Amino acid sequence: MRRKLIVGNWKMHGSLASNAELLAGIRAAEPFNCDAGVCVPYPYLAACVLALQGSSVALGAQDCSAHEQGAYTGEVSAAMLADVGCRYVIVGHSERRAMHGEGDQLVADKAKIALAKGLVPIVCVGETLAEREADQTEAVVKRQLSAVIHTLGPCISRVVVAYEPVWAIGTGKTASPEQAQAVHAVLRTQLRAATEGADQMKILYGGSVKPDNAATLFAQPDIDGGLIGGASLKAADFVAICRAAS
Ligand code: 13P
């Protein structure tokens, strides 16, 4: 059985004081019977790495540059993230695809450099409401994943995939366990065609995961944990979701 993974995506929330309180609350509930991580805003990585010393909760970032280094004002490289102690980096979150125009190939390039620098990329895919209503869900997520498979080749087995239907993010509308499982199964099948390691890969679900719906989602055969937005900002909720994954 695959060990479940719960990752908090704090997005653009927090402060030195509130982060310290949140991490202390999470640490007080350790150990968890699942893998766990938090993806925090760049300025707080250094403080969070200290706050997580000796913890099994891993640190991650929410994006990285596709470039190695150089004159890219405002960007942060994968090597820098690894240097400060990150294990994970989210790439291709729908908020970046929608608000920053990130396309499939750029996302794939970010996943590639993240892997090369020793990070585990969490590659997000997911359809909009309009795409779901037009019966395009499968085509969209396969297209998004296919760019990453094509760019990484067999190394695809080292990434974490996150299915996040855009219509379920921050809306309180969760995909039903059956809807989510159906897409996860499509992604697993696509991965099986690319790597022998597909059955060991983690495919996370994200989109309004809360303590009260987490267990039924995680009970689905191809849902290996969650990428948690809003509920990861409250220690009690994040801990409850980690327990639901145990
Ligand atoms: P919510 O859990 O707030 O819906 O956010 C999901 C998400 O976008 C995680 O990356």
Side-chain angles (χ1 to χ4, degrees):
M1 216 175 108
R2 292 178 291 268
R3 188 174 163 87
K4 299 245 189 294
L5 169 64
I6 305 298
V7 177
N9 174 9
W10 291 2
K11 305 192 181 183
M12 201 172 71
H13 294 287
S15 66
L16 283 173
S18 69
N19 300 344
E21 194 182 325
L22 175 52
L23 291 179
I26 295 171
R27 292 201 63 167
E30 285 189 85
F32 303 117
N33 202 8
C34 64
D35 293 333
V38 287
C39 291
V40 317
Y42 293 138
Y44 298 128
L45 285 169
C48 290
V49 93
L50 290 177
L52 288 173
Q53 258 174 13
S55 166
S56 63
V57 177
L59 187 66
Q62 301 169 13
D63 185 35
C64 69
S65 175
H67 302 287
E68 177 127 17
Q69 63 168 336
Y72 301 103
T73 302
E75 293 220 59
V76 174
S77 74
M80 292 170 183
L81 298 177
D83 192 26
V84 297
C86 286
R87 172 166 172 73
Y88 296 106
V89 62
I90 297 170
V91 295
H93 192 280
S94 62
E95 286 152 14
R96 295 210 61 86
R97 291 180 190 261
M99 298 174 205
H100 301 270
E102 295 195 6
D104 297 335
Q105 189 55 52
L106 179 67
V107 172
D109 291 342
K110 290 182 173 193
K112 185 173 183 177
I113 199 153
L115 268 186
K117 301 301 172 187
L119 299 167
V120 177
I122 300 175
V123 178
C124 299
V125 300
E127 82 287 4
T128 63
L129 185 58
E131 287 163 342
R132 174 161 283 264
E133 286 173 345
D135 253 338
Q136 289 300 303
T137 299
E138 197 171 318
V140 168
V141 298
K142 279 170 124 175
R143 187 203 74 223
Q144 292 171 332
L145 184 58
S146 143
V148 187
I149 291 173
H150 188 254
T151 299
L152 297 188
C155 292
I156 188 70
S157 65
R158 289 159 53 204
V159 315
V160 169
V161 176
Y163 169 55
E164 297 206 311
V166 178
W167 49 271
I169 295 177
T171 58
K173 278 189 213 149
T174 321
S176 71
E178 296 73 25
Q179 281 174 320
Q181 167 56 29
V183 178
H184 282 234
V186 164
L187 295 170
R188 181 92 57 200
T189 302
Q190 188 180 4
L191 291 166
R192 280 196 190 112
T195 169
E196 286 180 1
D199 287 307
Q200 283 74 54
M201 288 179 66
K202 293 188 207 301
I203 308 179
L204 311 183
Y205 169 78
S208 298
V209 178
K210 307 285 177 221
D212 62 0
N213 61 22
T216 48
L217 285 161
F218 301 160
Q220 299 298 312
D222 287 296
I223 301 185
D224 306 313
L227 186 55
I228 319 298
S232 73
L233 299 171
K234 283 194 202 142
D237 286 0
F238 187 72
V239 165
I241 292 169
C242 289
R243 297 261 184 265
S246 301

